[in-house]
Amino acid sequence: MEKIDNQTIISSGINENIIKFEESKNILECENLSVNYGETPAIENVSMGIPKNSIVSLIGPSGCGKSTLLRCFNRMNDLIPQAKVRGSVKFYQNEIYSDNVDSTEIRFRIGMVFQRPNPFPKSIYENIAFGPKINGLTDNLDEVVESSLRRAAVWDEVKDRLNESALSISGGQQQRVCIARALANNPEVVLMDEPASALDPISTQSIEDLIVELSSEVTILIVTHNMQQATRISDYAAFMLAGEERIGRLIEYGTNEQVFGNPKDNRTEAYVTGRIG
Amino acid sequence: MTMDQNNDLNVARQGFEISLNKLQSDILLLGDLVIQAINKSINSLKTRNIEQSQEVIKDDDSIDELETQIQVLCVELIRKEAPLASDLRRIVSALQIVDELERIGDYAEGIAKISVTMGKLVPINELVLIPKMAENSVSMLSRSLESYTLRDFSLCSSILEELRTKDKEINSMHKQVQKELLNTIKSDSSEGGEQATYLMWAAHNLERIADRSKNIAERSLFQVTGEIN
């Protein structure tokens, strides 16, 4: 699948610091999205599109609502009892918060990888086969396990240890097994919440290489605090910031070149150059 | 941005900020050394002051040394600070500008060497337009260094436009000098012709100094826009 080209980018009449794409190119988009935890607002009026087969980084200081926003895109916030989501989130232009949408199916199609590797306390094989089995897939499980581990670039390292506990391998391998577990469901989007922050530099590099490779077939939305990582891998980057009232807002969203090379907003400039955050 | 964040902005990465300011002052110091070298080389050519010419040739080592120091500082800042956005543009433009300045220093040294080669030959025709070319080139270089310190889109763009016009004027003067010197070479088979050949090279160097001064103004604008033209 080819990446989006610049001709599909259209300017926004409302805020020139937020890049806007043709609606048909977006695999995900949110509009006026706000989230409260109880009475406390976490993010407010976020509107952005995620073009298909792109890598989009969400950056910003701690507490600015990046993870909250990320979780909205596959309804993970449904699992937090106090979370209230307002506004629109569309997947292929269909509202995912409609009553008739099955949130479990959404999470299979929009997978997630977390900050710390969280394999199930089962064998590597069972970890990967778990999702497909729930989906009723019983044939060709071996093939699904192998191809998922291959896509996650960890097959060669674990192929002789498939029946060993997934907790017995290194942190970097565990994280790639978790990515393989997400890929086993053939997701179209993978949401990643600081997937390399707990890993050593070599494992981080292999995760970054993997993300770039996967983006030819999967859309990646990644939260990261590592500016160099975001610069290396993203096609686009979104900068969020919470003001004194501690409500996260989208400040700037643009190409990698714009956000890390010449940001339009002074607050983005201050963040990416390490003056705030 | 809140007041607190603005205050944070002033103290955050203070060491890096100090290094970036040092980078700028080192470049301006290099610029001063290069301007002195041009002025001295032209003066020595006019006055046939061989000692002054030799001084320019010797001082070029200091220019080269400072160039290396600045390059080392840039590499160190990239390695230690992983700069992005305006910080990255400042360091990249510094690396480009320092290269331009070092080359301009070489052109001044080249004029001084011509002066030494010419020895005590009496200058012809008051060096035609060469002193005027030198004056304009030095003025362009000063303006380009001013642009480097401004970091303002509108001011840097305006200085670049001004220098583009001045560069064209120097190109015209260069052509006129070439024409006059060629006539001398054709008509004077003795000392005058020999001098004219040397002076052709001096004029060439001054034309290149103007070009590179314009380049510095372009790098200064890059520092603001991040756009490479």
Side-chain angles (χ1 to χ4, degrees):
Chain A
M1 183 76 68
E2 282 190 7
K3 294 221 172 217
I4 192 162
D5 61 48
N6 286 336
Q7 289 175 345
T8 60
I9 298 170
I10 55 176
S11 63
S12 162
I14 302 162
N15 183 346
E16 287 184 355
N17 294 352
I18 311 287
I19 196 170
K20 212 170 175 191
F21 306 96
E22 280 176 26
E23 204 177 325
S24 61
K25 303 291 178 187
N26 287 334
I27 188 164
L28 279 171
E29 63 180 315
C30 61
E31 202 171 341
N32 294 325
L33 181 67
S34 301
V35 178
N36 276 35
Y37 292 117
E39 295 303 313
T40 311
I43 59 171
E44 196 167 79
N45 286 331
V46 176
S47 300
M48 66 186 292
I50 311 293
K52 192 171 166 62
N53 294 105
S54 61
I55 302 172
V56 176
S57 291
L58 290 179
I59 59 169
S62 297
C64 70
K66 306 179 296 291
S67 296
T68 296
L69 174 63
L70 191 76
R71 287 195 300 265
C72 287
F73 283 116
N74 71 345
R75 291 186 55 171
M76 285 294 276
N77 285 327
D78 291 9
L79 306 173
I80 301 172
Q82 288 186 314
K84 283 182 226 159
V85 178
R86 283 172 290 125
S88 159
V89 180
K90 289 178 179 169
F91 179 46
Y92 286 116
Q93 292 152 59
N94 295 310
E95 189 59 60
I96 67 167
Y97 280 86
S98 295
D99 291 341
N100 59 349
V101 172
D102 176 358
S103 59
T104 307
E105 191 198 328
I106 286 290
R107 287 180 209 130
F108 276 122
R109 296 181 70 186
I110 305 173
M112 193 152 190
V113 175
F114 298 88
Q115 183 174 5
R116 292 198 170 272
N118 58 347
F120 304 136
K122 291 171 177 286
S123 70
I124 294 168
Y125 186 99
E126 285 300 320
N127 264 273
I128 310 301
F130 184 81
K133 275 185 185 172
I134 288 184
N135 273 332
L137 183 72
T138 49
D139 296 336
N140 304 324
L141 264 181
D142 290 356
E143 274 177 36
V144 170
V145 169
E146 180 175 340
S147 71
S148 303
L149 288 166
R150 279 190 189 281
R151 286 171 76 198
V154 69
W155 170 252
D156 287 340
E157 292 162 61
V158 300
K159 64 184 176 191
D160 300 323
R161 308 167 65 181
L162 293 179
N163 294 319
E164 288 179 26
S165 167
L167 299 172
S168 67
I169 55 180
S170 74
Q173 288 169 334
Q174 285 183 22
Q175 192 64 307
R176 279 177 287 150
V177 164
C178 290
I179 293 172
R181 187 176 63 191
L183 295 176
N185 301 311
N186 274 325
E188 286 156 272
V189 180
V190 176
L191 309 175
M192 296 184 166
D193 198 349
E194 298 188 62
S197 65
L199 305 181
D200 62 70
I202 301 288
S203 303
T204 298
Q205 185 61 53
S206 60
I207 296 286
E208 286 181 15
D209 292 345
L210 173 60
I211 289 170
V212 172
E213 202 174 316
L214 285 175
S215 70
S216 62
E217 47 188 297
V218 181
T219 305
I220 313 268
L221 186 55
I222 177 173
V223 168
T224 180
H225 280 286
N226 182 333
M227 285 306 99
Q228 298 304 318
Q229 179 176 75
T231 311
R232 282 192 293 270
I233 64 175
S234 333
D235 297 308
Y236 305 98
F239 171 61
M240 294 181 72
L241 187 66
E244 283 173 345
E245 74 285 21
R246 299 187 175 282
I247 305 172
R249 292 189 174 85
L250 181 61
I251 303 296
E252 183 160 355
Y253 179 32
T255 59
N256 180 318
E257 190 184 14
Q258 176 190 319
V259 174
F260 300 110
N262 198 1
K264 291 183 178 174
D265 191 289
N266 288 338
R267 292 165 294 183
T268 315
E269 168 82 28
Y271 182 72
V272 301
T273 58
R275 266 69 171 186
I276 58 168
Chain B
M1 212 176 317
T2 66
M3 188 81 84
D4 281 349
Q5 281 169 333
N6 267 326
N7 288 336
D8 288 346
L9 195 58
N10 293 331
V11 292
R13 301 192 89 178
Q14 208 169 27
F16 184 30
E17 203 66 56
I18 290 167
S19 299
L20 287 172
N21 290 337
K22 179 179 177 349
L23 183 60
Q24 177 169 312
S25 55
D26 282 357
I27 284 183
L28 294 179
L29 174 62
L30 183 63
D32 275 349
L33 293 178
V34 168
I35 287 172
Q36 279 178 38
I38 303 168
N39 285 334
K40 277 185 184 176
S41 67
I42 291 299
N43 189 58
S44 71
L45 189 67
K46 274 197 292 196
T47 59
R48 318 303 319 116
N49 183 343
I50 306 295
E51 279 170 13
Q52 193 176 35
S53 304
Q54 282 163 338
E55 202 179 304
V56 172
I57 295 165
K58 187 168 165 282
D59 287 350
D60 190 57
D61 289 345
S62 309
I63 290 175
D64 293 347
E65 202 175 301
L66 184 54
E67 180 211 13
T68 306
Q69 282 175 23
I70 295 171
Q71 287 171 331
V72 168
L73 176 59
C74 288
V75 171
E76 189 178 285
L77 289 177
I78 292 169
R79 189 182 71 243
K80 287 186 178 172
E81 303 287 353
L84 284 172
S86 61
D87 295 335
L88 180 62
R89 299 197 305 274
R90 282 181 78 174
I91 296 171
V92 169
S93 64
L95 276 169
Q96 294 170 326
I97 288 170
V98 81
D99 183 52
E100 300 287 354
L101 286 172
E102 191 275 333
R103 293 295 296 137
I104 293 175
D106 285 347
Y107 289 127
E109 185 194 16
I111 292 170
K113 282 179 175 170
I114 288 165
S115 176
V116 170
T117 309
M118 284 173 70
K120 294 290 181 191
L121 286 175
V122 180
I124 52 162
N125 196 20
E126 293 178 338
L127 303 180
V128 283
L129 276 172
I130 285 176
K132 182 69 186 161
M133 279 181 78
E135 190 185 318
N136 289 9
S137 299
V138 167
S139 152
M140 281 181 70
L141 179 53
S142 299
R143 284 292 274 162
S144 70
L145 289 169
E146 190 186 332
S147 172
Y148 165 64
T149 61
L150 292 170
R151 298 206 296 276
D152 175 277
F153 176 74
S154 147
L155 294 172
C156 290
S157 302
S158 145
I159 290 178
L160 179 58
E161 276 315 302
E162 174 194 319
L163 295 196
R164 280 178 174 151
T165 306
K166 284 191 173 172
D167 187 46
K168 282 179 190 159
E169 287 168 14
I170 289 190
N171 287 345
S172 302
M173 288 165 89
H174 183 217
K175 278 182 187 156
Q176 199 182 327
V177 169
Q178 280 181 315
K179 197 174 162 189
E180 287 186 32
L181 291 173
L182 269 175
N183 285 337
T184 307
I185 292 167
K186 282 178 195 164
S187 62
D188 188 340
S189 58
S190 62
E191 277 184 1
E194 188 184 342
Q195 272 191 67
T197 312
Y198 293 134
L199 291 177
M200 287 272 257
W201 281 107
H204 165 81
N205 282 11
L206 290 169
E207 189 273 330
R208 295 301 296 135
I209 288 172
D211 275 346
R212 287 183 177 271
S213 300
K214 186 190 66 183
N215 291 351
I216 292 174
E218 285 171 354
R219 312 304 183 219
S220 301
L221 185 61
F222 162 82
Q223 195 174 211
V224 183
T225 64
E227 286 168 17
I228 298 169
N229 294 315

